[in-house]
């Protein structure tokens, strides 16, 4: 710092990034913490209240005392000391591990003062820095006996291929979504979002809003579904919604029929699961959304890039905003444990010979896929071709087959009816949603049965 700069600072006085101290005292730790919790700053030691250089004797002992103040903060503050002729400049840099505290508490720079932070300010800063994970927090209102949904749990363990050798409570604990406290099973927020009978009673905004619009704006709604259920069910229902409205064609290769959607379903799956895993569940008043327009499909979730992930690192580095939710999904077929979902989305789109997708991040994270067919193609081709020829086209066949073969397993149905495994899973999902079939027995030996005795015409 040159003489002109110092002269200007002295003439301007204390500010958001400048603090004057005539003598050393331990209260300087409050100013260090205030600067490191804000945008950084400088403490000029040896400057009096009149903004004049009063001078101070700079010794090794003094420098050691200042360094000790910084080291004793939690976490430790890194500083640089700049020695001038008769005063000392302490450079304090903005922290990368906020919030910081000294022995007397948490402080933040506000204007030209170092103010002690309130409880809410501390919590807000911790949330902004990603120090408090939403999914790890215990949901005190959740009552295991009355709020736990055994059917959702059974559905999840089947999807994740988790053995039922252990008791339900032991599996929940091993999945890191519950723990015992005074003989009571306490659920964290991740467990509530997956396995509560009504997750939205606890987190009203944790829903998936899916809509098909006419044209490219949100004026005329052609179809809409709002899924208020567990996260795994939201994922599966959202994928079915997209399959229903995306254009579908068939390609025959080596006497085998392959389904080809205008946007690869694998890319859509990755985008939807990414939305559910990485959304900011602290964000109030907004939902995860899937909007189909004439020319594009937009998948959006509250919360931009996770703390610690820069725009340059996006797609190359993975940072989990909700590690427990991400781990629960990673046990299913929808998530690969190794690599970035963004890369897999790009690769699927590239393999299909399509353009994009576009990624946007601010307060929300958006993925935009370019459509090839549009709404007319999506409604007529996607619904008529996709429903009659795709997922829903095989529903009647599957219904008849289960009626004639009680206890049959999904792989045998797919094999006998020559339906792809992925389509088979969608059909099973639709039939279960309509309460027409149910799964009975263990994961290894059980099968599907009709709930109703109605004959299929």
């Amino acid at each position: 710092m040159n003489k002109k700069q110092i002269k200007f600072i002295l003439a301007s006085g204390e500010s958001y990034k400048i603090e004057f101290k005539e003598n050393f005292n331990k209260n300087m730790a409050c100013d260090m913490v205030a600067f490191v919790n804000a945008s950084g700053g400088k403490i000029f030691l040896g400057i009096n209240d009149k903004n004049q250089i009063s001078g101070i004797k700079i010794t090794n002992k003094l420098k050691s005392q200042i360094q000790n103040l910084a080291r004793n903060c939690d976490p430790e503050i890194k500083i640089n000391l700049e020695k001038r002729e008769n005063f000392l400049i302490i450079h304090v840099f903005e922290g990368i591990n906020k919030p910081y505290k000294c022995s007397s508490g948490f402080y933040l720079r506000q204007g030209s003062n170092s103010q002690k932070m309130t409880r809410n300010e501390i919590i807000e800063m911790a949330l902004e820095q990603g120090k408090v994970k939403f999914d790890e927090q215990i949901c005190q209102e959740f009552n295991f006996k009355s709020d736990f949904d055994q059917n959702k749990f059974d559905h999840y363990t089947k999807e994740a291929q988790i053995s039922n050798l252990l008791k339900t409570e032991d599996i929940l604990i091993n999945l890191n979504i519950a723990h015992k406290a005074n003989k009571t099973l306490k659920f964290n927020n991740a467990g509530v979002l997956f396995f509560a009978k009504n997750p939205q009673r606890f987190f009203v905004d944790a829903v998936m809003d899916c809509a098909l619009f006419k044209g490219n704006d949100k004026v005329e709604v052609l179809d809409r579904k709002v899924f208020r259920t567990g996260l795994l069910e939201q994922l599966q229902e959202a994928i079915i919604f997209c399959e229903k409205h995306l254009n579908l064609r068939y390609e025959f290769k080596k006497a085998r029929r392959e389904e080809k959607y205008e946007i690869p379903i694998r890319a859509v799956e990755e985008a939807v699961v990414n939305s559910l895993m990485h959304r900011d569940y602290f964000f109030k008043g907004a939902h995860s959304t899937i909007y189909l327009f004439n020319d594009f499909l937009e998948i959006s979730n509250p919360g931009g890039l996770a703390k610690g992930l820069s725009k340059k690192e996006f797609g190359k580095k993975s940072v989990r905003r909700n590690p427990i939710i991400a781990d629960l999904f990673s046990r299913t077929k929808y998530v690969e444990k190794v690599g970035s979902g963004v890369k897999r989305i790009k690769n699927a789109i590239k393999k299909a010979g399509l353009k994009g997708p576009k990624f946007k991040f601010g307060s929300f994270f958006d993925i935009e896929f370019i459509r090839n067919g549009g709404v007319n193609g999506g409604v007529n081709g996607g619904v008529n071709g996709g429903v009659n020829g795709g997922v829903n086209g095989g529903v009647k066949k599957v219904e008849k087959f289960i009626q004639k073969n009680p206890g049959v397993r999904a792989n045998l149905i797919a094999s006998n009816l020559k339906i792809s495994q992925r389509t088979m899973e969608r059909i099973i999902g639709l039939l279960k949603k309509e309460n027409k079939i149910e799964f009975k027995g263990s994961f290894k030996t059980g099968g599907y049965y009709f709930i109703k005795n109605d004959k299929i015409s």
Side-chain angles (χ1 to χ4, degrees):
M1 186 171 289
N2 59 43
K3 291 183 178 180
K4 285 186 178 180
Q5 290 174 318
I6 293 172
K7 185 177 181 180
F8 175 80
I9 289 172
L10 292 176
S12 301
E14 293 181 326
S15 65
Y16 178 63
K17 289 195 171 187
I18 300 294
E19 178 73 22
F20 296 152
K21 295 290 183 185
E22 190 165 6
N23 299 298
F24 169 81
N25 63 71
K26 292 184 178 180
N27 289 334
M28 281 172 51
C30 301
D31 295 302
M32 290 183 185
V33 166
F35 281 133
V36 78
N37 279 333
S39 306
K42 301 177 180 64
I43 301 173
F44 285 70
L45 189 56
I47 310 296
N48 62 27
D49 292 338
K50 296 181 180 180
N51 301 349
Q52 297 172 340
I53 300 174
S54 56
I56 191 170
K57 187 176 182 180
I58 302 172
T59 64
N60 288 334
K61 180 182 178 181
L62 175 63
K63 290 190 283 186
S64 178
Q65 288 175 315
I66 295 170
Q67 291 286 3
N68 284 338
L69 277 184
R71 274 193 293 268
N72 289 331
C73 292
D74 183 21
E76 179 181 340
I77 295 175
K78 302 294 183 183
I79 61 172
N80 281 342
L81 301 180
E82 181 182 345
K83 182 181 178 181
R84 308 298 295 190
E85 185 176 347
N86 56 349
F87 65 95
L88 189 67
I89 304 174
I90 305 167
H91 295 264
V92 183
F93 305 100
E94 180 176 357
I96 59 173
N97 201 19
K98 301 175 186 178
Y100 291 74
K101 68 183 286 288
C102 60
S103 59
S104 60
F106 296 84
Y107 289 82
L108 183 66
R109 198 70 177 176
Q110 295 181 351
S112 59
N113 298 306
S114 298
Q115 300 287 346
K116 194 164 189 176
M117 296 174 67
T118 65
R119 172 183 175 276
N120 287 343
E121 287 173 334
I122 296 168
I123 292 173
E124 185 177 351
M125 180 175 288
L127 293 177
E128 288 176 353
Q129 299 300 312
K131 296 296 185 296
V132 177
K133 303 292 186 184
F134 171 88
D135 58 347
E136 296 175 350
Q137 303 305 300
I138 298 299
C139 184
Q140 299 294 347
E141 296 82 11
F142 182 86
N143 183 289
F144 178 67
K145 290 184 178 180
S146 60
D147 294 320
F148 178 66
D149 191 326
Q150 186 69 45
N151 290 331
K152 284 192 179 79
F153 176 76
D154 291 341
H155 176 56
Y156 174 81
T157 54
K158 181 185 172 185
E159 290 285 340
Q161 298 186 17
I162 295 174
S163 170
N164 58 0
L165 294 176
L166 294 176
K167 294 180 180 179
T168 295
E169 291 189 13
D170 293 330
I171 295 175
L172 292 169
I173 291 171
N174 287 335
L175 288 173
N176 295 317
I177 59 178
H179 74 276
K180 277 284 185 69
N182 297 323
K183 297 183 179 181
T184 301
L185 200 63
K186 293 288 187 179
F187 264 48
N188 58 32
N189 292 342
V192 173
L193 287 173
F194 270 82
F195 304 125
K197 290 178 181 176
N198 180 11
Q200 288 67 42
R201 182 168 74 84
F202 304 93
F203 308 110
V204 66
D205 293 316
V207 304
M208 176 65 76
D209 183 3
C210 300
L212 171 71
F213 295 96
K214 184 177 181 179
N216 290 321
D217 50 34
K218 303 173 188 177
V219 176
E220 187 174 346
V221 180
L222 300 178
D223 188 18
R224 187 168 197 167
K225 300 289 183 185
V226 180
F227 300 113
R228 293 180 172 88
T229 182
L231 294 191
L232 179 58
E233 291 75 24
Q234 286 186 28
L235 168 63
Q236 293 172 332
E237 296 285 3
I239 294 169
I240 291 172
F241 184 89
C242 290
E243 287 184 328
K244 179 181 177 182
H245 292 297
L246 290 173
N247 290 328
L248 173 68
R249 73 178 191 277
Y250 297 103
E251 290 185 1
F252 293 88
K253 296 182 179 179
K254 297 181 180 178
R256 185 176 179 180
R257 186 179 74 174
E258 290 187 12
E259 298 174 351
K260 296 286 185 179
Y261 285 90
E262 58 177 309
I263 301 170
I265 290 300
R266 185 64 189 132
V268 175
E269 286 179 348
E270 287 282 358
V272 177
V273 79
N274 180 84
S275 172
L276 293 169
M277 285 197 307
H278 299 301
R279 73 161 282 178
D280 182 356
Y281 287 94
F282 285 116
F283 200 118
K284 304 297 183 184
H287 306 154
S288 293
T289 59
I290 299 177
Y291 291 157
L292 289 99
F293 299 92
N294 190 71
D295 296 333
F296 61 96
L297 163 64
E298 178 192 79
I299 299 175
S300 176
N301 62 268
L305 293 179
K307 190 68 179 179
L309 185 64
S310 67
K311 291 183 179 180
K312 290 183 179 180
E313 294 170 323
F314 174 71
K316 302 174 184 177
K317 179 181 176 183
S318 179
V319 176
R320 291 180 166 185
R321 176 181 271 125
N322 302 295
I324 299 178
I325 291 175
D327 182 64
L328 289 170
F329 273 121
S330 72
R331 296 172 182 271
T332 71
K333 64 186 176 184
Y334 299 103
V335 177
E336 294 180 26
K337 293 184 180 180
V338 179
S340 166
V342 173
K343 284 185 179 179
R344 290 192 289 273
I345 291 171
K346 290 180 176 179
N347 290 340
I349 294 298
K350 185 177 180 180
K351 186 177 179 180
L354 303 175
K355 294 181 180 180
K358 297 178 182 178
F359 299 92
K360 304 174 185 177
F361 21 78
S363 298
F364 288 75
F365 179 87
D366 303 331
I367 302 178
E368 186 178 294
F369 297 98
I370 298 173
R371 296 189 64 187
N372 288 331
V375 166
N376 291 331
V379 174
N380 298 321
V383 174
N384 295 329
V387 174
N388 295 328
V391 176
N392 292 344
V395 169
K396 293 292 184 184
K397 292 180 181 179
V398 174
E399 284 181 300
K400 287 182 179 180
F401 195 86
I402 295 175
Q403 190 179 42
K404 293 177 180 179
N405 302 275
V408 68
R409 296 177 64 81
N411 61 337
L412 291 178
I413 303 173
S415 176
N416 279 273
L417 299 180
K418 293 182 170 49
I419 297 174
S420 71
Q421 190 64 31
R422 190 173 294 279
T423 300
M424 185 70 248
E425 291 168 359
R426 306 298 180 240
I427 293 173
I428 291 293
L430 286 170
L431 291 174
K432 287 173 70 177
K433 182 183 177 184
E434 294 172 0
N435 293 319
K436 290 186 176 181
I437 64 171
E438 61 181 340
F439 187 89
K440 295 181 180 179
S442 68
F443 172 72
K444 292 184 178 180
T445 62
Y448 288 99
Y449 295 81
F450 253 148
I451 294 174
K452 298 180 179 180
N453 294 320
D454 299 337
K455 291 260 183 177
I456 304 299
S457 57

